[in-house]
Amino acid sequence: WSVGILATGLFLGYILSSAGLQKLNSLRPGCGQLVTLLQYLATIGEKSPHARTYIYSPVLPIRWHALFVVLMFLSVQMANASLGAGLPFALFLVIKNTNLVFSLLFGLIFGRSFTTSQIMNIVVITTGIVVCVVAQNQTDGDSGVTDTIEPKESVTVLGENATVKNGIVLGAALATASTACMALLGAIQETIFARYKDEAGQESGESLFFTHLLGLPLFYVGGGFSSMREDVSVLLRTPIITCGMLSLNILATLVVKHSFVELLEEGQSLTATLAITVARMTGVVFSQVMATVFGNDGESPSLYFWLGGALVASGSMSYANLGKLLFRR
């Protein structure tokens, strides 16, 4: 029953965290870096009771923590930049679900083998991603210029449409790179944790603590604090909603991290993968419903978008259920 509770916590936590981030991003596009900083501080605070042990009696060499910091920060920054570039949140969630694709690639690089069924499911997932991207671009293209618009205005509107499409392409590329970075981090962590296995399971908590603590100075990169001050000034125009959504996102993220680590310690990595996959696709449905109900254009996603999302969900869940282990050594 404890596994069921943890899986439920992971599922609900991911959905609530995504909902909070989506609302905050609608209030201030590109505010993800501010949210990420607050998540870092919350994680450090959660692990602070064990900080003395992590610092004075570390299980992992510091060089690995430094590598984890770089990969984690790059992944987070590229994910935030993808939303700032104008990538629709639902498409962002779908692309993030390509983690199995990159797990396959990095698994092959690390010398692991996969079954035919697993590879076929990767093909299904990739097909779903492509369908979603094409469907999203076609939907944006349908809002083009009519013949009644004057030539000068037509050029302006066409330019705006081209900018939107370029933003979606750039955002999709950044989200894909972010997912690849996170998959690489997971592959390396799996190898290092196995090499420096601790009976008390200190390696996972220690990694979380140092990854977030050592990652704080990197927020200076690109004038991060300057942009965050602007984000705060904009978000404080709606203080009640902002505080509520920030609290929701941060607390839900802590639940996700805690539940995920506990599931790994219970040897339920497939349960964790399945819970996140279902949560992501539920997030796709939720974000599209919210965009349709509260969006300015009131347009609904096309049937092809839902078809692509269904392929991603079915392929991911089938992948998790068919393999006894994610990586077969």
Side-chain angles (χ1 to χ4, degrees), residues 213-233:
L213 180 65
L214 298 179
L216 288 178
L218 296 179
F219 281 92
Y220 279 108
V221 176
F225 284 109
S226 176
S227 64
M228 281 188 275
R229 283 195 294 268
E230 298 177 2
D231 294 337
V232 170
S233 64

Side-chain angles (χ1 to χ4, degrees), residues 26-98:
S26 68
L27 296 174
R28 173 62 173 175
C31 68
Q33 190 173 27
L34 172 63
V35 178
T36 301
L37 173 61
L38 297 177
Q39 291 175 352
Y40 268 51
L41 295 175
T43 302
I44 294 171
E46 182 195 14
K47 298 300 179 183
S48 59
H50 306 285
R52 175 178 288 272
T53 301
Y54 296 152
I55 294 174
Y56 292 103
S57 302
V59 174
L60 305 179
I62 191 65
R63 66 179 182 274
W64 293 115
H65 290 305
L67 178 60
F68 296 162
V69 167
V70 173
L71 291 176
M72 172 70 78
F73 194 80
L74 285 176
S75 177
V76 171
Q77 290 300 304
M78 286 187 290
N80 293 337
S82 69
L83 292 174
L87 183 69
F89 196 79
L91 189 54
F92 170 81
L93 290 177
V94 172
I95 293 176
K96 292 294 287 182
N97 207 40
T98 60

Side-chain angles (χ1 to χ4, degrees), residues 56-261:
Y56 292 103
S57 302
V59 174
L60 305 179
I62 191 65
R63 66 179 182 274
W64 293 115
H65 290 305
L67 178 60
F68 296 162
V69 167
V70 173
L71 291 176
M72 172 70 78
F73 194 80
L74 285 176
S75 177
V76 171
Q77 290 300 304
M78 286 187 290
N80 293 337
S82 69
L83 292 174
L87 183 69
F89 196 79
L91 189 54
F92 170 81
L93 290 177
V94 172
I95 293 176
K96 292 294 287 182
N97 207 40
T98 60
N99 57 335
L100 293 179
V101 176
F102 293 104
S103 293
L104 171 65
L105 295 177
F106 290 121
L108 294 174
I109 293 175
F110 278 78
R112 301 183 178 99
S113 60
F114 297 86
T115 66
T116 303
S117 297
Q118 288 173 320
I119 296 176
M120 289 180 63
N121 285 315
I122 292 298
V123 174
V124 172
I125 294 170
T126 305
T127 302
I129 297 296
V130 173
V131 171
C132 281
V133 172
V134 173
Q136 186 67 41
N137 283 333
Q138 286 180 344
T139 300
D140 293 333
D142 291 339
S143 59
V145 184
T146 63
D147 295 335
T148 58
I149 299 179
E150 295 297 327
K152 182 177 181 180
E153 294 179 348
S154 175
V155 172
T156 302
V157 175
L158 286 173
E160 293 175 353
N161 287 340
T163 301
V164 170
K165 286 188 176 182
N166 291 337
I168 292 176
V169 173
L170 174 61
L174 289 170
T176 302
S178 169
T179 307
C181 233
M182 189 60 70
L184 176 61
L185 173 61
I188 295 176
Q189 282 182 324
E190 182 187 23
T191 302
I192 298 305
F193 287 175
R195 182 186 303 176
Y196 298 95
K197 183 67 176 176
D198 180 70
E199 293 183 359
Q202 177 180 321
E203 63 276 1
S204 58
E206 178 185 315
S207 177
L208 278 175
F209 176 77
F210 278 112
T211 297
H212 292 81
L213 180 65
L214 298 179
L216 288 178
L218 296 179
F219 281 92
Y220 279 108
V221 176
F225 284 109
S226 176
S227 64
M228 281 188 275
R229 283 195 294 268
E230 298 177 2
D231 294 337
V232 170
S233 64
V234 173
L235 290 173
L236 286 181
R237 296 173 186 172
T238 54
I240 296 178
I241 297 177
T242 296
C243 291
M245 292 298 102
L246 278 175
S247 300
L248 176 65
N249 177 270
I250 293 171
L251 292 176
T253 300
L254 289 176
V255 171
V256 168
K257 293 178 180 179
H258 175 75
S259 299
F260 190 81
V261 171

Side-chain angles (χ1 to χ4, degrees), residues 297-313:
D297 52 13
E299 292 184 359
S300 300
S302 67
L303 177 61
Y304 290 105
F305 183 90
W306 295 117
L307 175 60
L311 289 174
V312 173

